[in-house]
Amino acid sequence: MENFHIESSTYIPRIDFDANTNVLEIEGESYHEYTIEFFQPVFEWLKEYLSSPEREITFNFKMSYFNTSSSRRFLEILTMLEDYQTDSNGKVTINWYYEESDIDMLESGEEYADDVNIKFNLIPVTA
């Protein structure tokens, strides 16, 4: 399976999904106006990737800002991963990185951790 990559630009996060290492990463800012269209190829790639059972997946979120619409897409991704873990005997770990002084980003990670039944690591980083 091919890896999936989108380079970051204004309003758009860097997305780097490596099917060989099973490390999936989203980083940067996401406040694109048309998140459904933007994330559609991401969901398509994930759907195909998650069709293989028993993967051990590490998903790194390294966001500095995202809007409400992006937040919905992130929850959809997390729900896909939760379903994969439950239905396909997968093992998923979420690493939620946040700047140590960014309480909003910490709280967002805590809320996602409450929403899904996946191992969730909240990891502070210094700027």
Side-chain angles (χ1 to χ4, degrees), residues 37-50:
E37 293 83 357
F38 175 75
F39 279 96
Q40 187 59 36
V42 173
F43 292 123
E44 289 171 7
W45 187 91
L46 278 172
K47 185 177 178 184
E48 182 181 344
Y49 172 73
L50 297 175

Side-chain angles (χ1 to χ4, degrees), residues 6-45:
I6 295 176
E7 197 57 48
S8 67
S9 65
T10 306
Y11 317 122
I12 296 174
R14 181 182 65 82
I15 297 177
D16 193 14
F17 293 169
D18 190 323
N20 300 315
T21 63
N22 297 313
V23 175
L24 315 180
E25 189 164 285
I26 296 180
E27 179 177 23
E29 298 179 336
S30 182
Y31 50 103
H32 195 278
E33 188 174 343
Y34 303 103
T35 58
I36 292 174
E37 293 83 357
F38 175 75
F39 279 96
Q40 187 59 36
V42 173
F43 292 123
E44 289 171 7
W45 187 91

Side-chain angles (χ1 to χ4, degrees), residues 78 107-118 120-122:
L78 291 168
E107 289 177 351
S108 293
E110 290 173 339
E111 289 172 11
Y112 284 129
D114 287 342
D115 288 340
V116 293
N117 187 20
I118 301 176
F120 223 97
N121 299 312
L122 299 168

